[in-house]
Amino acid sequence: MDEMIRAVTVYALPLIFAITLHEAAHAYAAKRYGDATAFVAGRMTLDPFKHIDPFGTVAMPLLLYFGTQGAFTFGYAKPVPVDFGALRSPRLHSALVAFAGPAANLVMALGWLILATILLNHSGRGDFLHEVSIAGVKVNLLMFAFNLIPILPLDGGRILNSMLPRQLAYRFSQLERYGFIIVLALVFMRMLDFWIIGLQNIALQVLQVVALPLQLLFR
């Protein structure tokens, strides 16, 4: 129990930042490309309380985490409202708006990775802040990979939908109402491990290459 409580403490701050910037990035991109719905709704903000869903972001992940003794957890934030028809180029810009969230997570993972290197060289591997920074890398890479699963309503599904021919895109969009059920079923059956783990590993390798000059600088 002590280990699980410590894990929650370590992951809390990175998770809040990851969710907040992910959703704010969607809102910013939507406004940038012509839809101010999220901006008017107050979602283009770094205030985490505007994005956190009390049940989906807090209660459900904690219940699943403690109920499975840390083996599994899942959660969600309040979806950012986007009127895709209001975008200047709906098909192209809907893909860019969808990718903005995972892209924000990738940038945050890079920042946490650089911080982890600095802390490791100055305070050591067992330092609490170093653990938090490592958690920041893991959380953001997980959100990056998970949200890019090509199933609606996830961001990857929106990107795929914008790339499909119109008639096929319409048929694909009809599955959105069942999307989370499909995703959860695939996750429980571990049929998405190859996608999530594989994409996380690829992203981490890319970030390590990008961060290398800065990591060498702070050694």
Side-chain angles (χ1 to χ4, degrees):
M1 181 60 71
D2 289 343
E3 291 181 5
M4 286 193 288
I5 292 175
R6 180 176 176 82
V8 170
T9 304
V10 168
Y11 278 87
L13 186 61
L15 183 59
I16 290 172
F17 275 121
I19 290 172
T20 300
L21 269 72
H22 178 102
E23 299 300 334
H26 283 314
Y28 175 82
K31 188 174 186 297
R32 171 69 176 79
Y33 295 118
D35 175 39
T37 305
F39 174 74
V40 172
R43 299 296 304 279
M44 201 174 82
T45 176
L46 297 181
D47 179 0
F49 293 103
K50 295 289 187 178
H51 305 293
I52 291 175
D53 182 273
F55 177 76
T57 313
V58 181
M60 187 173 74
L62 287 175
L63 288 171
L64 288 172
Y65 184 83
F66 286 109
T68 61
Q69 296 184 342
F72 176 77
T73 190
F74 181 80
Y76 56 87
K78 293 179 184 176
V80 167
V82 179
D83 181 358
F84 293 101
L87 299 171
R88 289 193 295 273
S89 178
R91 287 174 65 80
L92 171 62
H93 291 160
S94 64
L96 295 176
V97 170
F99 185 67
N105 290 125
L106 197 60
V107 172
M108 279 186 283
L110 176 61
W112 284 115
L113 179 62
I114 294 171
L115 178 60
T117 302
I118 296 173
L119 291 172
L120 179 63
N121 292 328
H122 288 83
S123 58
R125 189 175 297 274
D127 182 77
F128 178 75
L129 289 179
H130 181 259
E131 290 186 47
V132 171
S133 61
I134 293 298
V137 176
K138 292 179 179 178
V139 164
N140 280 284
L141 288 182
L142 177 59
M143 285 190 64
F144 170 77
F146 182 83
N147 280 284
L148 285 180
I149 294 171
I151 299 174
L152 289 169
L154 297 177
D155 298 326
R158 303 234 177 260
I159 295 169
L160 176 59
N161 194 58
S162 70
M163 297 170 62
L164 293 172
R166 293 186 184 275
Q167 187 173 3
L168 190 56
Y170 174 77
R171 293 180 180 177
F172 180 63
S173 67
Q174 301 306 300
L175 297 174
E176 181 168 356
R177 69 189 74 176
Y178 311 110
F180 271 122
I181 297 174
I182 295 171
V183 170
L184 282 176
L186 293 175
V187 168
F188 272 113
M189 292 187 289
R190 304 190 70 87
M191 296 180 66
L192 292 176
D193 285 5
F194 75 96
W195 174 278
I196 296 174
I197 296 174
L199 196 53
Q200 285 184 93
N201 289 337
I202 292 171
L204 179 59
Q205 291 174 12
V206 171
L207 293 183
Q208 287 174 331
V209 171
V210 173
L212 184 59
L214 287 173
Q215 290 174 329
L216 293 174
L217 178 64
F218 286 105
R219 282 184 178 177

